[in-house]
């Protein structure tokens, strides 16, 4: 990997690097990133192994360009369960692609009180439970995440049900799931609440701007679900619009012992489809307008 490995920096330099990330995200977004990093060290202590990888600061931070209010620049943070790419173009921010995960999602011992993906899980379940059973044919891809109930390509321990993982930049996916615009008002509100969980990682102005774009495309926005929706079942869901792609998946243990997907191992992915991962489309507009290219 390229960049500065945070654990090799002096405390003051590491604080400066983290300050860039903190200033780029909302307080909730930054707290979630730091929780994933802390839980990574918690996992290392639980299994007492992989101590070169499973630590709080075993992450690589890279800056691209020169931070500026006018010229494009960006940063990335990469490591186990954390992979963020943030691009600034003028007054706009693109935070995509983003991969965040945790195994486990709740800390114990000296990590007591650290949790991750509570809203991504609970808000999704609350929304799923409002959907009409007689419309399951429109959104339910399958009722189980057990390997024996899945096609082989969705039963692997690494990507699981994810379609937009590593190597899928600017992925074009066929539409699948119930159309947001077809939902009654209360269910549309529930879907918006779930979308906000992911957009609220951004500063408020950018989150609201992106949400407005999603609303404009509600007739092309789809929601799909796989798995159960009781208090224990593992599940997967996808929100797919022309401007936002979200995936949430429960995984089996990689370092822990559970052989089947469980709620305490979560992977989430957020992308900007149709060409705007890494701000590619926004950067192209900038260079056409300001550099004639």
């Amino acid at each position: 990997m390229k960049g500065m490995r945070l654990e090799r920096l002096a405390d003051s330099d590491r604080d400066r690097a983290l300050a860039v990330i903190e200033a780029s995200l909302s307080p909730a977004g930054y707290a979630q990133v730091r929780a994933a990093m802390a839980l990574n060290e918690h996992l290392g202590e639980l299994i007492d192994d992989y101590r070169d990888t499973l630590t709080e600061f075993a992450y690589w931070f890279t800056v691209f360009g020169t931070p500026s209010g006018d010229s494009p620049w960006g940063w990335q943070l990469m490591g186990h369960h954390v992979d963020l790419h943030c691009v600034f173009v003028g007054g706009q921010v693109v935070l995509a692609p983003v991969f965040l995960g945790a195994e486990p999602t709740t800390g114990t011992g000296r990590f007591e009180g650290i949790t991750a993906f509570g809203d991504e899980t609970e808000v999704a379940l609350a929304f799923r439970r409002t959907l009409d059973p007689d419309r399951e044919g429109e959104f339910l891809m399958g009722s189980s995440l057990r390997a024996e109930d899945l096609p082989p390509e969705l039963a692997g321990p690494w990507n699981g049900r994810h379609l937009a993982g590593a190597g899928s930049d600017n992925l074009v996916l066929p539409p699948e799931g119930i159309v947001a615009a077809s939902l009654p008002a209360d269910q549309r509100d529930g879907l918006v609440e779930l979308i906000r969980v992911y957009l609220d990682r951004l500063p408020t102005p950018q989150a609201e701007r992106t949400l407005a774009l999603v609303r404009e495309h509600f007739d092309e926005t789809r929601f799909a679900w796989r798995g159960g929706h009781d208090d224990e079942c593992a599940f997967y869901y996808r929100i797919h619009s022309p401007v936002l792609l979200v995936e949430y998946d429960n995984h089996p243990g990689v370092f822990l012992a559970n052989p089947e997907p469980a709620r305490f191992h979560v992977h989430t992915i957020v992308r900007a489809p149709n060409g705007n991962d890494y701000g590619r489309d926004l950067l192209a507009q900038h260079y056409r307008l300001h550099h004639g290219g």
Side-chain angles (χ1 to χ4, degrees):
M1 293 187 184
K2 296 182 179 180
M4 303 176 291
R5 189 170 168 109
L6 294 180
E7 66 184 1
R8 296 175 184 167
L9 298 177
D11 289 352
S12 59
D13 290 335
R14 182 167 60 240
D15 289 344
R16 291 187 185 97
L18 291 172
V20 173
I21 299 169
E22 183 176 16
S24 304
L25 306 177
S26 69
Y30 181 68
Q32 187 172 61
V33 172
R34 295 293 286 115
M37 294 168 67
L39 289 168
N40 191 54
E41 178 153 335
H42 181 36
L43 176 60
E45 292 189 2
L46 285 174
I47 66 171
D48 193 24
D49 204 350
Y50 296 97
R51 302 319 303 273
D52 59 338
T53 301
L54 302 181
T55 69
E56 183 176 3
F57 296 116
Y59 295 92
W60 298 85
F61 179 67
T62 308
V63 175
F64 301 95
T66 301
S68 166
D70 301 313
S71 299
W73 70 283
W75 56 261
Q76 69 179 21
L77 181 68
M78 299 181 68
H80 182 241
H81 276 156
V82 175
D83 190 347
L84 290 87
H85 303 264
C86 189
V87 176
F88 298 85
V89 182
Q92 298 191 62
V93 183
V94 176
L95 184 65
V98 171
F99 167 74
L100 287 173
E103 179 192 14
T105 56
T106 301
T108 57
R110 72 183 185 92
F111 297 92
E112 186 78 34
I114 298 176
T115 63
F117 308 112
D119 287 346
E120 288 84 348
T121 300
E122 296 303 326
V123 175
L125 281 168
F127 170 62
R128 166 65 180 89
R129 290 165 181 165
T130 68
L131 297 179
D132 300 331
D134 59 0
R135 298 191 69 180
E136 284 187 350
E138 297 178 64
F139 65 83
L140 188 62
M141 297 182 288
S143 59
S144 169
L145 259 59
R146 295 183 61 84
E148 63 189 23
D149 300 325
L150 294 168
E153 65 271 18
L154 298 180
W158 311 117
N159 283 332
R161 275 51 57 196
H162 284 305
L163 301 180
S168 302
D169 297 340
N170 296 302
L171 174 72
V172 177
L173 277 178
E176 187 174 14
I178 196 166
V179 177
S182 75
L183 297 170
D186 60 332
Q187 292 176 6
R188 287 199 305 272
D189 290 345
L191 180 57
V192 167
E193 184 180 0
L194 179 56
I195 291 170
R196 280 190 181 277
V197 169
Y198 292 89
L199 295 185
D200 282 351
R201 297 168 177 175
L202 287 160
T204 299
Q206 185 63 39
E208 292 300 325
R209 184 181 298 131
T210 306
L211 181 59
L213 288 173
V214 174
R215 287 182 183 275
E216 288 178 12
H217 293 281
F218 252 24
D219 58 343
E220 301 172 85
T221 297
R222 293 175 180 261
F223 176 82
W225 184 278
R226 185 184 294 274
H229 57 283
D230 62 19
D231 290 337
E232 296 183 0
C233 282
F235 58 87
Y236 162 91
Y237 63 82
R238 184 191 316 145
I239 303 165
H240 186 195
S241 91
V243 295
L244 181 71
L245 174 60
V246 171
E247 290 187 291
Y248 168 108
D249 197 21
N250 292 136
H251 279 235
V254 173
F255 295 101
L256 301 180
N258 53 302
E260 295 289 347
R263 296 259 182 100
F264 57 80
H265 189 180
V266 171
H267 286 185
T268 66
I269 292 173
V270 178
R271 286 189 176 272
N274 293 309
N276 210 28
D277 275 342
Y278 310 98
R280 190 179 73 174
D281 186 55
L282 193 59
L283 285 167
Q285 293 179 39
H286 171 86
Y287 286 116
R288 282 196 302 269
L289 287 171
H290 299 283
H291 302 277

PDB file of all heavy atoms in Angstrom, residues 148-171:
ATOM      1  N   GLU A 148     -25.699 -23.046   2.438  1.00  0.00           N
ATOM      2  CA  GLU A 148     -26.432 -24.103   1.739  1.00  0.00           C
ATOM      3  C   GLU A 148     -27.650 -23.565   0.994  1.00  0.00           C
ATOM      4  O   GLU A 148     -28.185 -24.242   0.108  1.00  0.00           O
ATOM      5  CB  GLU A 148     -26.870 -25.173   2.739  1.00  0.00           C
ATOM      6  CG  GLU A 148     -27.842 -24.670   3.795  1.00  0.00           C
ATOM      7  CD  GLU A 148     -28.102 -25.685   4.891  1.00  0.00           C
ATOM      8  OE1 GLU A 148     -27.259 -26.574   5.089  1.00  0.00           O
ATOM      9  OE2 GLU A 148     -29.157 -25.569   5.551  1.00  0.00           O
ATOM     10  N   ASP A 149     -28.087 -22.350   1.340  1.00  0.00           N
ATOM     11  CA  ASP A 149     -29.271 -21.766   0.710  1.00  0.00           C
ATOM     12  C   ASP A 149     -28.923 -20.744  -0.370  1.00  0.00           C
ATOM     13  O   ASP A 149     -29.829 -20.123  -0.943  1.00  0.00           O
ATOM     14  CB  ASP A 149     -30.142 -21.088   1.771  1.00  0.00           C
ATOM     15  CG  ASP A 149     -30.625 -22.058   2.835  1.00  0.00           C
ATOM     16  OD1 ASP A 149     -30.894 -23.224   2.486  1.00  0.00           O
ATOM     17  OD2 ASP A 149     -30.714 -21.652   4.011  1.00  0.00           O
ATOM     18  N   LEU A 150     -27.636 -20.566  -0.642  1.00  0.00           N
ATOM     19  CA  LEU A 150     -27.192 -19.532  -1.571  1.00  0.00           C
ATOM     20  C   LEU A 150     -26.544 -20.144  -2.807  1.00  0.00           C
ATOM     21  O   LEU A 150     -25.958 -21.234  -2.734  1.00  0.00           O
ATOM     22  CB  LEU A 150     -26.165 -18.618  -0.890  1.00  0.00           C
ATOM     23  CG  LEU A 150     -26.647 -17.765   0.274  1.00  0.00           C
ATOM     24  CD1 LEU A 150     -25.446 -17.161   0.996  1.00  0.00           C
ATOM     25  CD2 LEU A 150     -27.575 -16.662  -0.215  1.00  0.00           C
ATOM     26  N   PRO A 151     -26.592 -19.439  -3.928  1.00  0.00           N
ATOM     27  CA  PRO A 151     -25.775 -19.873  -5.070  1.00  0.00           C
ATOM     28  C   PRO A 151     -24.302 -19.743  -4.710  1.00  0.00           C
ATOM     29  O   PRO A 151     -23.925 -18.886  -3.894  1.00  0.00           O
ATOM     30  CB  PRO A 151     -26.179 -18.907  -6.182  1.00  0.00           C
ATOM     31  CG  PRO A 151     -26.779 -17.733  -5.496  1.00  0.00           C
ATOM     32  CD  PRO A 151     -27.390 -18.245  -4.227  1.00  0.00           C
ATOM     33  N   PRO A 152     -23.439 -20.580  -5.266  1.00  0.00           N
ATOM     34  CA  PRO A 152     -22.023 -20.589  -4.861  1.00  0.00           C
ATOM     35  C   PRO A 152     -21.353 -19.223  -4.937  1.00  0.00           C
ATOM     36  O   PRO A 152     -20.524 -18.885  -4.088  1.00  0.00           O
ATOM     37  CB  PRO A 152     -21.386 -21.579  -5.843  1.00  0.00           C
ATOM     38  CG  PRO A 152     -22.505 -22.471  -6.262  1.00  0.00           C
ATOM     39  CD  PRO A 152     -23.731 -21.618  -6.277  1.00  0.00           C
ATOM     40  N   GLU A 153     -21.716 -18.415  -5.931  1.00  0.00           N
ATOM     41  CA  GLU A 153     -21.049 -17.123  -6.091  1.00  0.00           C
ATOM     42  C   GLU A 153     -21.407 -16.129  -4.990  1.00  0.00           C
ATOM     43  O   GLU A 153     -20.743 -15.097  -4.841  1.00  0.00           O
ATOM     44  CB  GLU A 153     -21.380 -16.518  -7.461  1.00  0.00           C
ATOM     45  CG  GLU A 153     -22.829 -16.152  -7.675  1.00  0.00           C
ATOM     46  CD  GLU A 153     -23.663 -17.290  -8.243  1.00  0.00           C
ATOM     47  OE1 GLU A 153     -23.217 -18.459  -8.160  1.00  0.00           O
ATOM     48  OE2 GLU A 153     -24.757 -17.006  -8.770  1.00  0.00           O
ATOM     49  N   LEU A 154     -22.434 -16.428  -4.189  1.00  0.00           N
ATOM     50  CA  LEU A 154     -22.825 -15.542  -3.091  1.00  0.00           C
ATOM     51  C   LEU A 154     -22.524 -16.146  -1.726  1.00  0.00           C
ATOM     52  O   LEU A 154     -22.905 -15.574  -0.702  1.00  0.00           O
ATOM     53  CB  LEU A 154     -24.320 -15.210  -3.179  1.00  0.00           C
ATOM     54  CG  LEU A 154     -24.790 -14.471  -4.428  1.00  0.00           C
ATOM     55  CD1 LEU A 154     -26.295 -14.220  -4.356  1.00  0.00           C
ATOM     56  CD2 LEU A 154     -24.037 -13.163  -4.614  1.00  0.00           C
ATOM     57  N   ALA A 155     -21.847 -17.278  -1.700  1.00  0.00           N
ATOM     58  CA  ALA A 155     -21.620 -17.986  -0.443  1.00  0.00           C
ATOM     59  C   ALA A 155     -20.176 -17.917   0.033  1.00  0.00           C
ATOM     60  O   ALA A 155     -19.822 -18.545   1.029  1.00  0.00           O
ATOM     61  CB  ALA A 155     -22.035 -19.449  -0.592  1.00  0.00           C
ATOM     62  N   GLY A 156     -19.338 -17.139  -0.644  1.00  0.00           N
ATOM     63  CA  GLY A 156     -17.936 -17.068  -0.264  1.00  0.00           C
ATOM     64  C   GLY A 156     -17.724 -16.271   1.011  1.00  0.00           C
ATOM     65  O   GLY A 156     -18.531 -15.405   1.366  1.00  0.00           O
ATOM     66  N   PRO A 157     -16.620 -16.531   1.726  1.00  0.00           N
ATOM     67  CA  PRO A 157     -16.373 -15.844   2.994  1.00  0.00           C
ATOM     68  C   PRO A 157     -15.841 -14.430   2.835  1.00  0.00           C
ATOM     69  O   PRO A 157     -15.836 -13.664   3.798  1.00  0.00           O
ATOM     70  CB  PRO A 157     -15.321 -16.734   3.667  1.00  0.00           C
ATOM     71  CG  PRO A 157     -14.577 -17.350   2.517  1.00  0.00           C
ATOM     72  CD  PRO A 157     -15.600 -17.561   1.441  1.00  0.00           C
ATOM     73  N   TRP A 158     -15.380 -14.045   1.645  1.00  0.00           N
ATOM     74  CA  TRP A 158     -14.726 -12.744   1.491  1.00  0.00           C
ATOM     75  C   TRP A 158     -15.704 -11.695   0.982  1.00  0.00           C
ATOM     76  O   TRP A 158     -15.980 -10.716   1.662  1.00  0.00           O
ATOM     77  CB  TRP A 158     -13.523 -12.865   0.554  1.00  0.00           C
ATOM     78  CG  TRP A 158     -12.620 -14.002   0.922  1.00  0.00           C
ATOM     79  CD1 TRP A 158     -12.337 -15.104   0.175  1.00  0.00           C
ATOM     80  CD2 TRP A 158     -11.909 -14.174   2.163  1.00  0.00           C
ATOM     81  NE1 TRP A 158     -11.488 -15.942   0.855  1.00  0.00           N
ATOM     82  CE2 TRP A 158     -11.208 -15.403   2.070  1.00  0.00           C
ATOM     83  CE3 TRP A 158     -11.794 -13.417   3.329  1.00  0.00           C
ATOM     84  CZ2 TRP A 158     -10.406 -15.880   3.110  1.00  0.00           C
ATOM     85  CZ3 TRP A 158     -10.998 -13.890   4.365  1.00  0.00           C
ATOM     86  CH2 TRP A 158     -10.318 -15.101   4.255  1.00  0.00           C
ATOM     87  N   ASN A 159     -16.243 -11.879  -0.217  1.00  0.00           N
ATOM     88  CA  ASN A 159     -17.188 -10.896  -0.754  1.00  0.00           C
ATOM     89  C   ASN A 159     -18.609 -11.130  -0.276  1.00  0.00           C
ATOM     90  O   ASN A 159     -19.427 -10.212  -0.309  1.00  0.00           O
ATOM     91  CB  ASN A 159     -17.163 -10.913  -2.285  1.00  0.00           C
ATOM     92  CG  ASN A 159     -15.954 -10.192  -2.839  1.00  0.00           C
ATOM     93  OD1 ASN A 159     -15.421  -9.285  -2.209  1.00  0.00           O
ATOM     94  ND2 ASN A 159     -15.507 -10.604  -4.018  1.00  0.00           N
ATOM     95  N   GLY A 160     -18.927 -12.341   0.145  1.00  0.00           N
ATOM     96  CA  GLY A 160     -20.285 -12.615   0.583  1.00  0.00           C
ATOM     97  C   GLY A 160     -21.285 -12.284  -0.502  1.00  0.00           C
ATOM     98  O   GLY A 160     -21.161 -12.705  -1.651  1.00  0.00           O
ATOM     99  N   ARG A 161     -22.285 -11.473  -0.156  1.00  0.00           N
ATOM    100  CA  ARG A 161     -23.322 -11.086  -1.111  1.00  0.00           C
ATOM    101  C   ARG A 161     -22.955  -9.817  -1.871  1.00  0.00           C
ATOM    102  O   ARG A 161     -23.657  -9.399  -2.790  1.00  0.00           O
ATOM    103  CB  ARG A 161     -24.652 -10.848  -0.381  1.00  0.00           C
ATOM    104  CG  ARG A 161     -25.518 -12.079  -0.117  1.00  0.00           C
ATOM    105  CD  ARG A 161     -24.837 -13.223   0.540  1.00  0.00           C
ATOM    106  NE  ARG A 161     -24.234 -12.868   1.814  1.00  0.00           N
ATOM    107  CZ  ARG A 161     -23.331 -13.619   2.442  1.00  0.00           C
ATOM    108  NH1 ARG A 161     -22.903 -14.741   1.899  1.00  0.00           N
ATOM    109  NH2 ARG A 161     -22.815 -13.238   3.607  1.00  0.00           N
ATOM    110  N   HIS A 162     -21.863  -9.182  -1.502  1.00  0.00           N
ATOM    111  CA  HIS A 162     -21.491  -7.916  -2.135  1.00  0.00           C
ATOM    112  C   HIS A 162     -21.229  -8.090  -3.629  1.00  0.00           C
ATOM    113  O   HIS A 162     -20.543  -9.021  -4.053  1.00  0.00           O
ATOM    114  CB  HIS A 162     -20.228  -7.341  -1.493  1.00  0.00           C
ATOM    115  CG  HIS A 162     -20.458  -6.710  -0.161  1.00  0.00           C
ATOM    116  ND1 HIS A 162     -21.386  -5.713   0.042  1.00  0.00           N
ATOM    117  CD2 HIS A 162     -19.874  -6.924   1.049  1.00  0.00           C
ATOM    118  CE1 HIS A 162     -21.358  -5.346   1.321  1.00  0.00           C
ATOM    119  NE2 HIS A 162     -20.464  -6.066   1.946  1.00  0.00           N
ATOM    120  N   LEU A 163     -21.744  -7.154  -4.403  1.00  0.00           N
ATOM    121  CA  LEU A 163     -21.452  -7.095  -5.830  1.00  0.00           C
ATOM    122  C   LEU A 163     -20.525  -5.935  -6.164  1.00  0.00           C
ATOM    123  O   LEU A 163     -19.946  -5.897  -7.246  1.00  0.00           O
ATOM    124  CB  LEU A 163     -22.756  -6.952  -6.627  1.00  0.00           C
ATOM    125  CG  LEU A 163     -23.783  -8.072  -6.452  1.00  0.00           C
ATOM    126  CD1 LEU A 163     -25.009  -7.790  -7.309  1.00  0.00           C
ATOM    127  CD2 LEU A 163     -23.186  -9.434  -6.790  1.00  0.00           C
ATOM    128  N   ALA A 164     -20.393  -4.982  -5.247  1.00  0.00           N
ATOM    129  CA  ALA A 164     -19.653  -3.750  -5.521  1.00  0.00           C
ATOM    130  C   ALA A 164     -18.373  -3.656  -4.701  1.00  0.00           C
ATOM    131  O   ALA A 164     -17.940  -2.572  -4.336  1.00  0.00           O
ATOM    132  CB  ALA A 164     -20.539  -2.538  -5.249  1.00  0.00           C
ATOM    133  N   GLY A 165     -17.750  -4.794  -4.437  1.00  0.00           N
ATOM    134  CA  GLY A 165     -16.539  -4.802  -3.636  1.00  0.00           C
ATOM    135  C   GLY A 165     -15.312  -4.373  -4.412  1.00  0.00           C
ATOM    136  O   GLY A 165     -15.394  -3.717  -5.464  1.00  0.00           O
ATOM    137  N   ALA A 166     -14.147  -4.752  -3.904  1.00  0.00           N
ATOM    138  CA  ALA A 166     -12.879  -4.356  -4.516  1.00  0.00           C
ATOM    139  C   ALA A 166     -12.835  -4.775  -5.984  1.00  0.00           C
ATOM    140  O   ALA A 166     -13.290  -5.860  -6.354  1.00  0.00           O
ATOM    141  CB  ALA A 166     -11.718  -4.992  -3.760  1.00  0.00           C
ATOM    142  N   GLY A 167     -12.288  -3.888  -6.812  1.00  0.00           N
ATOM    143  CA  GLY A 167     -12.189  -4.170  -8.237  1.00  0.00           C
ATOM    144  C   GLY A 167     -13.452  -3.883  -9.016  1.00  0.00           C
ATOM    145  O   GLY A 167     -13.545  -4.242 -10.195  1.00  0.00           O
ATOM    146  N   SER A 168     -14.438  -3.234  -8.376  1.00  0.00           N
ATOM    147  CA  SER A 168     -15.722  -2.959  -9.039  1.00  0.00           C
ATOM    148  C   SER A 168     -15.959  -1.465  -9.190  1.00  0.00           C
ATOM    149  O   SER A 168     -17.092  -0.996  -9.113  1.00  0.00           O
ATOM    150  CB  SER A 168     -16.870  -3.588  -8.239  1.00  0.00           C
ATOM    151  OG  SER A 168     -16.691  -4.968  -8.089  1.00  0.00           O
ATOM    152  N   ASP A 169     -14.891  -0.709  -9.408  1.00  0.00           N
ATOM    153  CA  ASP A 169     -15.027   0.741  -9.527  1.00  0.00           C
ATOM    154  C   ASP A 169     -15.965   1.107 -10.667  1.00  0.00           C
ATOM    155  O   ASP A 169     -15.893   0.548 -11.761  1.00  0.00           O
ATOM    156  CB  ASP A 169     -13.660   1.383  -9.774  1.00  0.00           C
ATOM    157  CG  ASP A 169     -12.709   1.167  -8.606  1.00  0.00           C
ATOM    158  OD1 ASP A 169     -13.191   0.884  -7.495  1.00  0.00           O
ATOM    159  OD2 ASP A 169     -11.486   1.274  -8.816  1.00  0.00           O
ATOM    160  N   ASN A 170     -16.846   2.079 -10.378  1.00  0.00           N
ATOM    161  CA  ASN A 170     -17.804   2.573 -11.369  1.00  0.00           C
ATOM    162  C   ASN A 170     -18.606   1.434 -12.001  1.00  0.00           C
ATOM    163  O   ASN A 170     -18.872   1.418 -13.206  1.00  0.00           O
ATOM    164  CB  ASN A 170     -17.089   3.419 -12.420  1.00  0.00           C
ATOM    165  CG  ASN A 170     -16.490   4.673 -11.803  1.00  0.00           C
ATOM    166  OD1 ASN A 170     -17.202   5.478 -11.206  1.00  0.00           O
ATOM    167  ND2 ASN A 170     -15.182   4.835 -11.912  1.00  0.00           N
ATOM    168  N   LEU A 171     -18.976   0.495 -11.138  1.00  0.00           N
ATOM    169  CA  LEU A 171     -19.747  -0.669 -11.551  1.00  0.00           C
ATOM    170  C   LEU A 171     -21.115  -0.260 -12.101  1.00  0.00           C
ATOM    171  O   LEU A 171     -21.763   0.647 -11.586  1.00  0.00           O
ATOM    172  CB  LEU A 171     -19.940  -1.581 -10.334  1.00  0.00           C
ATOM    173  CG  LEU A 171     -20.833  -2.809 -10.483  1.00  0.00           C
ATOM    174  CD1 LEU A 171     -20.133  -3.854 -11.346  1.00  0.00           C
ATOM    175  CD2 LEU A 171     -21.147  -3.393  -9.101  1.00  0.00           C
TER     176      LEU A 171
END
